[in-house]
Amino acid sequence: MAIFNLKINGENHQVDVDPESPTLWVLRDHVKLVGTKYGCGIGQCGACTIHIDGQAMRSCSLPISAVADKSITTIEGLSKKGDHPLQKAWIEHDVPQCGYCQAGQIMNAASLLNNNPNPSDADIDAAMNGNICRCGTYVRIKAAIKTAANS
Amino acid sequence: MSLIKTTYNRRSFLKASAVAGGGMVLGFSWLASCTPTQEEIMAMPEEWFDINAFLKIGDNGVVTIMSPNPEIGQNVKTSMPMIIAEELDVSWDNVIVEQAGLNTENFRRQLAGGSQSIRQGWESLRMAGATARRMLLEAAAKQWEVPVGELTTNEGLISHEKSGQTIGYGEIASAAAEVTVPEEIELKDPKDFKIIGTDRLNVDGPKIAKGEPLFGLDVQEEGMLIAMIEHPPAFGMKIKSVDADAVKAMPGIKDVFTINIAPEGIEQQWSDRNNVFNDLVAIVGNSTWEVMKAKKALNVEWEAESSLESSDDHEATLSDLVSQKADPARRDGNPEAAFRDADEVIERTYSAPFLAHNTMEPMNFYANVTADKAELKGPIQTPEFLRKTAAALLGMEEDKVSVMMTRMGGGFGRRLYGNFGLEATLISKQAGAPVKLVYTREDDMSQGTYRPDYKVVYRAALDADKNLTAIHVRGAGTHGSPVFANRFPAGTVDNYLAENHRKESNISTGAWRAPRSNFIAGAEQSFLDEVAEAMGKDPIELRLELFDRAIKDPVGERNDYDAERYAGVLKLVKEKSGWGQDMAGVYRGVSAYYCHNSYVAQVLDVEMVDNKPKVKKVWCAVDCGIVVNPIAAKNQIEGGIVDGIGHAMYSGLTFKDGAPEQTNYDKYRLIRHSEAPAEIEVFFVDNGIDPTGLGEPSLPPIMAALANAMAKATGERLYTQPFVSSQAVLG
Ligand code: FES
Ligand code: FES
């Protein structure tokens, strides 16, 4: 066990955990931020996507020791009131079905738009391919990303 | 308006009572006119449930509508309350929706499955709203001393035109609670619907977008421990011995023990019987990561208790079965003679592997068992069955066991089988603490209740003039054949034979989105494409001719479809897609299917991109009667299409010595963003018929629309799923 001082969504948190512990489980079990989801645990599905210094990362494959001095953003901290252009577009397009993958999709899309404010269809496919949606909401996700990009 | 008798048992099933602070609570428990038996439920999951409703009017006019059925992403939490709100005549803006827990006094059959929530709930939900509206009207009439017939309502306001008086629902709700429940109520004419048929956004949409805790896996309770299970690594194996000492000493680990969720003498529900891994090792600890680490380090010795099956054996057995005759499930005319006299016989074999459900949220459940009660909470499609078995396992009365349903991160049939809820129950009891049981993805994918593997042979006989004279279908599958003997094309040809074979296996199978249809539609509609080709006919024309025959002069007595509605969707998709026009570089496939009481026809366009076929667009016509919430209905249809393309193309679970060879998404392929159609256009038939299923019907036919378009694009027909494994160009 070791003490880590984390900066999550602009707030400081101190946790005493196994340094190998994936960031995903530290967020969910210790910091009680459960918006970040577990889907596969091996970096294949994107459900656990968070931002580390603004870039999308898979928190299931990221030991807490590797992010201790970085700025972590989770879906809960993407915007103060849930009004990030992507969150608004997601609601407007009625994207979710079960909704389980969507926090990861939004976080990944937010990082895409940070790097590329006007992505083409091919850009979206390439950036989002690591995020599985078992319910098959891909067509709406793409439409929502475009709406957010244009807003 | 139509007058309808309220069909509930008044004394036991409907309660109206004033609640604290004014307002009215109405609890309904409607008795369905036909209640399927458990056996019927097992055999035919499309025909399931009664449904119930619950609403509460606040003194400020805000209405809380309880959504009785579990939400698995089929959007019933929005669409079911819309139906109540419509008949109640309130503004949707004033409606708050809450998920109801399991409550067999107020509600009956709180189940999700078979695309039946809306179909089965339609009338009772309307009655729930209309009855409440009527009671509010009667209370106002009494207060104003005017005849109730002179009153009208509009969005939560009651008016008496003659006297100019008005009153809001909230103000009269408390008086309404004292009104006798009416014997008869009026339902709206669908023409007057203001909410039903309009786009209403998912009531949980903002919470999902913000990542708020909604799912079972998000449950956090005071003093809660985390639990995981270890089940046998292969079907046919069981625990021999567990060496838990080292693991018990690991940091954060509280206990390691074995549980048995199906001990002798405990009555099982149908939802328990498909499960084969009933003896398990449980690990309990403080945090998910600590328990995961312990699980990896755990030393369990397994031993075989029955055969360890492999996919190769399955393939051989299925091939053998479809080469043998079986007792006819249906026989019309003289198919043997027709094939003997045929000028040409077309014979094709189709097969598909096992599939895992792979809900995005792995199985999990929260349980808090104490000496005299048990609290269960989590994602479950069949809460009532879970409670029955949990109570039996604990030796408690059912009323001591509560079940709360959380939003489910996908179901697709998997959460009909509540083994994980029972596991959590026994683990909590043994650990003496509240626990949240969490499956790893690997646990989830290797646990069973799979879509069975299937094989089917279709044969068609053509005479010298290329007329279709006979069809023969022979199917085989693990735990049952995929063939529905009385569905299309039965009824459309003079000579018809359907035969079914069943293969036994110790690999557990269960309902998977659109059971059986999810395979047979793809095979049947691919075959028909080849038959049309051999006959020199346009594939849509051939289908329409067959439907025409079934409309005018159907063969046989029992044809389980309405040929006019079938033809209707096909004509609609033909028109919308501009079928028949030549489009350079576009390869099109068509398909149509009927299941879960709804009709779907699809045209799928493929283009070659970098020498690889890419699905560009899907056109989909749907006849599911009245569409309650079009924006959400389209979402279901789109999802079924993407799901169907994905599984036909990429997914499959294979076995070696009883163990699944794919246990996570590195090896088990699911469709991804770049592989989804660029565009899906959905058209609904507007016919005013009561609503039918939406969650499943768009999936089965798309597999054939895809295969037929791919055949045009690549010149090769596809017979074996997943298609990527049979054609290198698709990989
Ligand atoms: S849970 Fe991290 S990528 Fe799947
Ligand atoms: S909405 Fe269910 S997994 Fe994406």
Side-chain angles (χ1 to χ4, degrees):
Chain A
M1 302 293 256
I3 305 250
F4 294 95
N5 290 304
L6 304 171
K7 191 156 184 223
I8 305 167
N9 301 331
E11 283 174 28
N12 295 319
H13 294 265
Q14 195 177 71
V15 292
D16 183 8
V17 296
D18 173 4
E20 276 176 37
S21 183
T23 305
L24 170 67
W25 297 115
V26 175
L27 290 170
R28 291 185 57 89
D29 285 354
H30 301 274
V31 190
K32 311 283 184 215
L33 289 173
V34 294
T36 308
K37 297 293 189 259
Y38 167 71
C40 68
I42 57 165
Q44 289 284 330
C45 77
C48 64
T49 305
I50 57 170
H51 293 179
I52 302 294
D53 293 337
Q55 295 302 315
M57 303 282 264
R58 306 292 186 236
S59 65
C60 70
S61 310
L62 204 58
I64 197 67
S65 55
V67 300
D69 48 353
K70 311 255 164 65
S71 162
I72 301 171
T73 310
T74 70
I75 184 73
E76 291 92 343
L78 182 64
S79 64
K80 285 231 156 53
K81 294 186 181 145
D83 55 359
H84 184 283
L86 281 164
Q87 289 170 312
K88 290 204 285 199
W90 242 249
I91 294 165
E92 180 190 325
H93 286 267
D94 214 30
V95 172
Q97 285 187 32
C98 82
Y100 192 78
C101 73
Q102 301 295 350
Q105 305 275 3
I106 291 172
M107 292 306 283
N108 206 68
S111 170
L112 162 67
L113 292 186
N114 283 343
N115 299 328
N116 178 358
N118 261 308
S120 66
D121 282 3
D123 294 338
I124 296 174
D125 280 345
M128 300 297 293
N129 241 18
N131 286 74
I132 295 173
C133 174
R134 175 65 183 83
C135 299
T137 64
Y138 296 130
V139 180
R140 287 185 188 218
I141 289 174
K142 193 174 280 174
I145 292 175
K146 287 183 178 174
T147 297
N150 291 330
S151 70
Chain B
M1 271 199 245
S2 54
L3 210 56
I4 184 164
K5 272 237 176 302
T6 48
T7 55
Y8 43 82
N9 175 328
R10 315 180 61 72
R11 211 159 33 88
S12 359
F13 293 112
L14 188 139
K15 302 177 187 86
S17 58
V19 286
M24 171 170 79
V25 179
L26 266 182
F28 293 87
S29 186
W30 309 104
L31 293 170
S33 46
C34 79
T35 308
T37 64
Q38 292 312 324
E39 281 66 30
E40 278 167 346
I41 286 171
M42 263 196 293
M44 200 175 44
E46 296 118 358
E47 301 290 331
W48 273 10
F49 341 95
D50 316 349
I51 224 107
N52 317 268
F54 186 82
L55 67 88
K56 185 161 70 176
I57 301 176
D59 53 13
N60 58 355
V62 168
V63 180
T64 295
I65 299 182
M66 303 304 284
S67 183
N69 276 32
E71 172 64 62
I72 52 174
Q74 83 284 43
N75 207 37
V76 288
K77 196 172 168 188
T78 307
S79 49
M80 294 184 93
M82 282 173 71
I83 300 169
I84 299 174
E86 178 71 65
E87 292 287 351
L88 181 61
D89 197 7
V90 285
S91 161
W92 185 245
D93 296 339
N94 287 339
V95 171
I96 298 166
V97 177
E98 269 177 34
Q99 176 68 54
L102 176 64
N103 184 336
T104 41
E105 249 177 61
N106 279 333
F107 310 112
R108 286 167 66 90
R109 293 207 183 275
Q110 293 170 282
L111 287 156
S115 291
Q116 297 300 299
S117 295
I118 294 292
R119 174 167 177 256
Q120 304 271 343
W122 177 242
E123 196 161 89
S124 49
L125 293 167
R126 292 181 71 190
M127 279 198 279
T131 307
R133 176 178 170 273
R134 175 73 193 187
M135 291 162 77
L136 291 156
L137 282 174
E138 283 184 20
K142 193 169 164 208
Q143 184 165 321
W144 294 335
E145 296 177 347
V146 298
V148 70
E150 290 182 4
L151 303 184
T152 56
T153 61
N154 184 31
E155 299 204 332
L157 199 68
I158 301 171
S159 305
H160 183 240
E161 207 183 319
K162 278 189 193 161
S163 63
Q165 297 179 92
T166 60
I167 192 166
Y169 281 4
E171 297 162 84
I172 198 75
S174 153
E178 306 298 325
V179 168
T180 317
V181 178
E183 293 279 347
E184 273 184 343
I185 42 160
E186 286 160 353
L187 295 181
K188 277 187 179 176
D189 187 319
K191 282 202 309 288
D192 301 325
F193 284 163
K194 289 188 269 189
I195 297 174
I196 292 173
T198 62
D199 287 344
R200 303 292 163 162
L201 298 175
N202 189 330
V203 293
D204 279 342
K207 289 185 184 156
I208 292 169
K210 284 192 271 184
E212 288 185 18
L214 291 167
F215 300 93
L217 211 64
D218 302 342
V219 169
Q220 305 267 359
E221 297 288 349
E222 193 59 38
M224 181 184 90
L225 300 174
I226 299 291
M228 289 196 169
I229 50 96
E230 186 77 8
H231 60 231
F235 292 87
M237 284 195 149
K238 65 175 173 63
I239 301 170
K240 187 176 180 197
S241 64
V242 185
D243 174 8
D245 290 349
V247 163
K248 278 187 190 167
M250 287 175 72
I253 299 306
K254 296 277 190 200
D255 206 352
V256 178
F257 48 83
T258 57
I259 54 166
N260 176 6
I261 61 164
E264 293 277 318
I266 295 295
E267 194 199 342
Q268 288 195 311
Q269 301 300 310
W270 71 266
S271 54
D272 305 321
R273 293 186 194 121
N274 291 24
N275 194 51
V276 297
F277 294 147
N278 292 316
D279 280 299
L280 308 150
V281 188
I283 308 138
V284 183
N286 289 333
S287 72
T288 314
W289 177 244
E290 286 166 320
V291 178
M292 263 183 186
K293 271 183 111 170
K295 180 170 148 67
K296 277 202 189 103
L298 185 68
N299 222 330
V300 186
E301 208 182 328
W302 310 97
E303 63 186 345
E305 58 174 349
S306 57
S307 62
L308 303 179
E309 301 172 5
S310 294
S311 287
D312 292 346
D313 313 331
H314 273 248
E315 168 62 29
T317 312
L318 289 175
S319 294
D320 190 42
L321 285 173
V322 294
S323 71
Q324 295 172 27
K325 281 193 176 147
D327 288 342
R330 172 163 169 160
R331 191 172 179 281
D332 295 328
N334 190 342
E336 295 78 9
F339 278 101
R340 192 185 57 229
D341 300 340
D343 190 63
E344 184 183 351
V345 172
I346 307 160
E347 178 178 321
R348 299 289 183 266
T349 303
Y350 301 85
S351 39
F354 287 98
L355 294 175
H357 291 87
N358 272 324
T359 61
M360 211 65 219
E361 178 195 21
M363 296 308 113
N364 65 85
F365 228 80
Y366 169 83
N368 185 10
V369 177
T370 51
D372 55 353
K373 64 178 175 30
E375 184 199 347
L376 310 181
K377 188 162 25 173
I380 180 78
Q381 287 174 255
T382 52
E384 195 174 345
F385 296 121
L386 171 63
R387 184 170 68 182
K388 279 199 164 68
T389 314
L393 281 173
L394 295 171
M396 280 183 189
E397 293 299 319
E398 269 187 60
D399 62 3
K400 298 282 184 283
V401 180
S402 70
V403 181
M404 182 63 207
M405 293 91 83
T406 55
R407 187 177 185 89
M408 284 177 251
F412 315 108
R414 176 62 187 88
R415 290 184 161 105
L416 294 166
Y417 311 100
N419 59 289
F420 42 86
L422 301 174
E423 291 158 16
T425 302
L426 289 188
I427 295 170
S428 169
K429 184 184 175 191
Q430 173 84 25
V435 300
K436 178 169 67 179
L437 169 69
V438 178
Y439 275 29
T440 64
R441 174 58 56 196
E442 289 82 1
D443 294 334
D444 192 278
M445 217 182 284
S446 58
Q447 201 278 338
T449 58
Y450 303 120
R451 195 286 300 269
D453 54 346
Y454 289 126
K455 195 175 277 290
V456 67
V457 178
Y458 274 96
R459 294 164 71 222
L462 305 185
D463 67 14
D465 298 326
K466 302 265 178 232
N467 293 311
L468 176 64
T469 57
I471 288 184
H472 173 206
V473 53
R474 185 188 283 154
T478 294
H479 302 141
S481 163
V483 175
F484 294 90
N486 295 316
R487 283 193 186 167
F488 177 86
T492 67
V493 276
D494 290 316
N495 305 296
Y496 173 82
L497 176 64
E499 297 170 286
N500 292 327
H501 283 289
R502 176 190 168 98
K503 177 165 68 74
E504 297 309 329
S505 170
N506 60 12
I507 297 171
S508 81
T509 62
W512 191 101
R513 197 175 195 175
R516 295 153 71 199
S517 300
N518 60 38
F519 166 70
I520 202 68
E524 167 202 300
Q525 292 288 307
S526 298
F527 182 65
L528 219 54
D529 219 58
E530 285 202 67
V531 173
E533 202 171 77
M535 294 169 76
K537 285 206 164 135
D538 174 82
I540 293 190
E541 283 319 305
L542 171 63
R543 286 170 173 83
L544 289 175
E545 281 174 23
L546 294 172
F547 292 137
D548 205 44
R549 169 73 200 269
I551 293 165
K552 292 193 179 125
D553 178 24
V555 181
E557 306 278 283
R558 218 189 131 200
N559 297 319
D560 289 349
Y561 58 93
D562 177 335
E564 291 203 45
R565 291 177 77 181
Y566 230 135
V569 285
L570 201 50
K571 285 178 189 160
L572 182 61
V573 84
K574 182 183 175 194
E575 175 208 321
K576 296 289 184 187
S577 68
W579 180 264
Q581 59 188 341
D582 241 343
M583 295 189 291
V586 177
Y587 306 91
R588 317 193 97 175
V590 66
S591 178
Y593 198 67
Y594 161 77
C595 66
H596 302 89
N597 314 94
S598 296
Y599 299 80
V600 171
Q602 293 154 337
V603 167
L604 179 146
D605 293 351
V606 160
E607 287 174 29
M608 296 301 283
V609 179
D610 301 331
N611 284 328
K612 280 201 173 187
K614 159 97 186 129
V615 181
K616 281 290 173 185
K617 177 157 185 180
V618 174
W619 318 72
C620 183
V622 183
D623 178 352
C624 58
I626 292 170
V627 177
V628 175
N629 188 4
I631 192 172
K634 284 184 186 161
N635 207 350
Q636 290 301 301
I637 297 295
E638 291 165 11
I641 287 169
V642 173
D643 195 1
I645 292 174
H647 282 91
M649 195 80 161
Y650 305 107
S651 308
L653 194 73
T654 56
F655 290 86
K656 182 96 183 99
D657 299 328
E661 293 180 292
Q662 301 79 19
T663 59
N664 208 327
Y665 300 136
D666 51 346
K667 297 220 175 81
Y668 193 103
R669 269 188 79 182
L670 287 172
I671 190 167
R672 290 177 182 271
H673 275 269
S674 62
E675 296 154 343
E679 194 184 350
I680 299 173
E681 228 183 315
V682 183
F683 312 94
F684 292 106
V685 174
D686 183 8
N687 56 14
I689 297 173
D690 286 357
T692 51
L694 258 177
E696 290 162 283
S698 73
L699 182 146
I702 199 67
M703 296 180 162
L706 172 72
N708 295 338
M710 287 293 178
K712 292 254 177 56
T714 66
E716 264 183 75
R717 290 279 172 185
L718 296 163
Y719 302 105
T720 306
Q721 293 182 14
F723 298 148
V724 276
S725 65
S726 62
Q727 259 193 38
V729 65
L730 304 177

